[in-house]
């Protein structure tokens, strides 16, 4: 089980079970409920803090084993830092910090949802619970033995002691579905490419039907009929046939214009005939991080019964070198009718997206399209692993994405688009070529995609730096991060959903 943490809520008055987790500020102050629960052991916190040089800084922890005067086998004090600095977006990190201290030996945990200046609001307690689950996720399905110091994933009953149990439960219900969506995206990214190839990916996406999502799978024959020559050109070098999966959640009014999310799903990218160097090629199992995010997002939206109509579409292929693989110099005809000269077969993601974007724009005429793709190494050069690159033809959509990014910590940084960059992808033989020069590689990729959105308000997120292999964070220790699920759920909830 990737995530065997069960979260429940309990009133402050119940006796804590198992490991006790409490919060303090940067003056080591504790709240009233917390002080009452600790009783004489409150003094122990002060003494332990002094010997451990624990100052209550945000996200820091103090771990006291077998605390004298307490029933709990362990007391974990999590620093919340300076109270006046705490933002709503910090609570998820506090949950993550607590989870970072827990281990597989802890089967019951009670967290007192209180800061020194008052009890946590239902949303804040829910965020702590979300952070805890996100941080506890571990992908170890293929490890049959554990080495010394390697722990099993946390499998615990976690109780949040809160003031109002019903309100906290209500606040956490949608959050739990969002966490499930993130976990689903992480699972897909972490899975090895011999297990997760296009047909298997499509099968897993089709499990969303259980939640009321309509799932259509386009096979090679269907895509050929539609004229998806750009996507099929990439897929043709693999023995694994490509697929396009269309997922629809209709939680809005019948006939309401949907919003659309599109994901690059290159289940493995060798580069094709323009083959990549061997070093780190194994990371290219994560070249479907955009598609994974779209599936996780569709899960979250459907499970929490989001009140809007949503289309999710993913193009699934494997990019392999083979006797049948496409060559540099080949010219393919995309579904839009525009022709593309292949210069480098490793610039395959944009070819896949070109057909899926066009298909979605034409068939669904969505309010907007957001695509996610582990598209370019150049975005890592520009932004590192802290921000995803954001490209958009629509200022309102771009601003909303930036705000949702700040609120969730899944941050995006806007990059330019402009006709000046088009020159780089002019081809002497076809309507365009699939790569430009080394300079501005993320921008020319976005510029290429823009030719396939048919004027639809659109944003492109280049998540090559954030979807996998990013440094561990307060709420993620997994290689596949599930980046984008929380960001886009927030975008939808904040700006596009009918209010309840
Ligand atoms: Mn590539
Ligand atoms: Zn790729």
């Amino acid at each position: 089980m990737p995530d065997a943490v069960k979260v429940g809520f309990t009133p402050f008055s119940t006796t804590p079970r198992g490991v006790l987790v409490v919060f303090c500020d940067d003056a080591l102050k504790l709240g009233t409920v917390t002080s009452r629960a600790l009783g004489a052991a409150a003094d122990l916190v002060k003494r332990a803090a002094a010997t451990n040089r624990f100052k209550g800084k945000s996200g820091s922890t103090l771990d006291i084993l077998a605390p004298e005067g307490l029933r709990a086998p362990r007391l974990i004090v999590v620093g919340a830092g300076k109270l006046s600095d705490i933002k709503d977006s910090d609570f998820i990190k506090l949950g993550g910090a607590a989870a970072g201290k827990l281990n597989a030996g802890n089967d019951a945990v009670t967290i007192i949802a209180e800061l020194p200046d008052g009890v946590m609001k239902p949303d804040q307690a829910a965020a702590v619970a979300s952070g805890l689950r996100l941080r506890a996720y571990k992908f170890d399905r293929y490890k049959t033995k554990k080495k010394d110091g390697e722990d099993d994933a946390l499998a615990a009953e976690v109780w949040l002691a809160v003031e109002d149990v019903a309100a906290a439960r209500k606040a956490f219900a949608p959050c739990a579905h969002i966490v499930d969506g993130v976990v689903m995206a992480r699972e897909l990214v972490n899975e090895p490419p011999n297990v997760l190839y296009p047909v298997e990916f499509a099968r897993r996406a089709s499990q969303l039907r259980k939640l009321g999502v309509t799932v259509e799978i386009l096979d090679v024959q269907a895509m050929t009929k539609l004229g998806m020559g750009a996507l099929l050109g990439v897929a043709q070098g693999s023995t694994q046939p490509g697929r396009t999966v269309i997922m629809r959640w209709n939680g809005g009014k019948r006939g309401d214009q949907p919003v659309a999310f599109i994901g690059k799903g290159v289940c493995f990218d060798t580069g094709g005939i323009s083959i990549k160097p061997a070093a780190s090629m194994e990371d290219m199992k994560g070249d479907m991080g955009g598609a994974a995010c779209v599936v996780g997002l569709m899960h979250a939206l459907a499970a929490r019964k989001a009140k809007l109509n949503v289309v999710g579409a993913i193009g699934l292929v494997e990019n392999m070198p083979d006797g049948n693989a496409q060559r540099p110099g080949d010219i393919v005809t995309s579904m839009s009718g525009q022709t593309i000269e292949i210069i480098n077969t490793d610039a395959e993601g944009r070819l896949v997206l070109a057909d899926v974007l066009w298909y979605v724009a034409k068939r669904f005429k969505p309010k907007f399209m957001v695509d996610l793709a582990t598209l370019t190494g150049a975005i890592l050069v520009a932004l590192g692993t802290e921000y995803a690159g954001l490209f958009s033809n629509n200022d309102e959509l771009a601003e909303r994405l930036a705000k949702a990014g700040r609120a969730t910590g899944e941050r995006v940084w806007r990059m330019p688009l402009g006709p000046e960059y088009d020159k780089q992808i002019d081809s002497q033989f076809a309507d365009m070529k699939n790569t430009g020069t080394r300079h501005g590689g993320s921008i020319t990729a976005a510029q290429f995609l823009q030719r396939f959105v048919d004027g639809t308000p659109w944003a492109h997120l280049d998540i090559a730096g954030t979807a996998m292999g990013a440094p561990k964070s307060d709420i993620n220790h997994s290689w596949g991060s599930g980046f984008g699920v929380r960001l886009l759920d927030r975008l939808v909830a904040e700006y596009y959903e009918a209010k309840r």
Side-chain angles (χ1 to χ4, degrees):
M1 280 291 285
D3 175 23
V5 175
K6 301 238 174 323
V7 172
F9 296 90
T10 186
F12 282 139
S13 55
T14 46
T15 314
R17 275 159 279 189
V19 176
L20 187 61
V21 178
V22 301
F23 301 93
C24 73
D25 68 0
D26 62 350
L28 302 183
K29 200 171 164 246
L30 302 166
T32 28
V33 180
T34 306
S35 299
R36 205 181 313 132
L38 294 187
D43 185 53
L44 193 61
V45 173
K46 289 245 153 37
R47 283 186 281 137
T51 46
N52 285 290
R53 305 185 71 74
F54 173 76
K55 302 237 162 46
K57 273 200 282 189
S58 181
S60 65
T61 49
L62 175 67
D63 194 0
I64 305 169
L65 295 173
E68 208 183 309
L70 271 186
R71 271 266 192 78
R74 249 175 114 182
L75 170 64
I76 297 170
V77 185
V78 178
K82 196 169 162 206
L83 294 180
S84 55
D85 289 348
I86 296 179
K87 302 180 295 296
D88 272 339
S89 56
D90 290 331
F91 286 87
I92 196 163
K93 297 180 195 166
L94 295 180
K101 280 286 151 190
L102 297 168
N103 62 54
N106 305 136
D107 48 12
V109 179
T110 301
I111 301 174
I112 300 185
E114 184 197 42
L115 289 181
D117 60 349
V119 300
M120 289 185 196
K121 287 185 255 165
D123 283 347
Q124 296 169 338
V128 169
S130 294
L132 189 131
R133 275 194 55 199
L134 287 170
R135 172 67 179 76
Y137 168 81
K138 195 170 183 184
F139 183 78
D140 58 3
R141 178 170 311 135
Y142 297 97
K143 293 216 174 218
T144 63
K145 300 184 192 66
K146 293 277 179 324
K147 286 206 206 80
D148 264 5
E150 231 175 15
D151 204 2
D152 286 319
L154 179 67
E157 259 181 31
V158 177
W159 296 96
L160 276 99
V162 293
E163 184 165 63
D164 183 343
V165 170
R169 261 193 209 133
K170 192 168 168 232
F172 184 60
C175 301
H177 297 308
I178 297 164
V179 171
D180 289 342
V182 176
V183 166
M184 187 173 285
R186 288 179 182 175
E187 287 281 290
L188 291 166
V189 174
N190 287 329
E191 280 283 23
N194 59 330
V195 171
L196 193 74
Y197 43 91
V199 170
E200 171 60 14
F201 197 126
R203 189 192 67 79
R204 293 195 189 189
S206 71
Q207 290 173 343
L208 290 171
R209 285 179 184 138
K210 286 183 213 148
L211 297 173
V213 176
T214 309
V215 181
E216 289 168 68
I217 300 176
L218 308 179
D219 61 11
V220 173
Q221 204 187 347
M223 292 189 285
T224 306
K225 223 168 138 194
L226 286 163
M228 292 184 161
L231 183 152
L232 290 166
V234 179
Q236 76 188 31
S238 174
T239 55
Q240 298 291 351
R243 292 286 185 267
T244 290
V245 181
I246 317 294
M247 298 156 272
R248 275 179 295 160
W249 167 250
N250 291 319
K253 287 205 200 81
R254 207 193 177 99
D256 263 7
Q257 203 183 6
V259 302
F261 299 98
I262 290 100
K264 167 183 171 182
V266 178
C267 294
F268 193 75
D269 182 14
T270 62
I273 295 300
S274 316
I275 198 161
K276 291 175 184 292
S280 304
M281 202 203 270
E282 66 279 10
D283 287 353
M284 286 300 106
K285 71 173 183 175
D287 208 17
M288 29 54 74
C293 172
V294 171
V295 172
L297 176 68
M298 292 304 287
H299 174 96
L301 295 175
R304 70 173 184 77
K305 303 206 183 317
K307 287 193 179 308
L308 83 168
N309 297 338
V310 192
V311 174
I314 53 179
L316 303 168
V317 300
E318 197 177 59
N319 188 22
M320 300 291 270
D322 176 81
N324 196 44
Q326 73 178 351
R327 293 150 288 250
D330 281 6
I331 293 176
V332 296
T333 303
S334 66
M335 186 184 167
S336 72
Q338 300 174 88
T339 57
I340 305 159
E341 182 191 5
I342 308 299
I343 300 299
N344 188 316
T345 63
D346 195 12
E348 83 299 338
R350 66 200 71 180
L351 298 167
V352 172
L353 288 172
D355 281 337
V356 182
L357 283 167
W358 186 263
Y359 177 87
V360 171
K362 284 296 184 191
R363 177 171 169 198
F364 299 105
K365 305 198 168 27
K367 212 174 277 178
F368 67 74
M369 301 196 283
V370 174
D371 79 73
L372 300 104
T374 49
L375 205 63
T376 66
I379 204 67
L380 274 140
V381 176
L383 299 176
T385 56
E386 299 303 320
Y387 286 81
L390 161 65
F391 301 82
S392 184
N393 62 5
N394 185 286
D395 291 341
E396 183 185 66
L397 179 59
E399 191 43 48
R400 289 174 173 182
L401 277 162
K403 278 191 188 145
R406 287 192 288 272
T408 55
E410 294 193 329
R411 295 174 301 173
V412 297
W413 193 263
R414 192 164 182 189
M415 304 279 287
L417 287 169
E420 308 78 16
Y421 295 100
D422 274 332
K423 284 189 226 86
Q424 280 202 37
I425 51 173
D426 282 345
S427 158
Q428 58 173 324
F429 300 111
D431 296 338
M432 69 194 87
K433 53 186 186 180
N434 78 327
T435 49
T437 64
R438 246 164 48 78
H439 296 151
S442 302
I443 306 172
T444 47
Q447 207 65 36
F448 180 99
L449 295 179
Q450 191 175 17
R451 296 177 178 208
F452 298 89
V453 304
D454 198 33
T456 310
W458 153 81
H460 156 58
L461 300 177
D462 194 334
I463 57 171
T466 53
M468 73 254 188
K472 292 171 178 173
S473 76
D474 299 315
I475 56 168
N476 181 44
H477 275 222
S478 153
W479 186 74
S481 65
F483 182 96
V485 174
R486 293 170 51 247
L487 169 74
L488 297 176
D489 180 89
R490 181 69 169 230
L491 175 79
V492 162
E494 196 76 25
Y495 301 104
Y496 299 98
E497 241 181 293
K499 296 292 169 230
R500 276 149 217 280

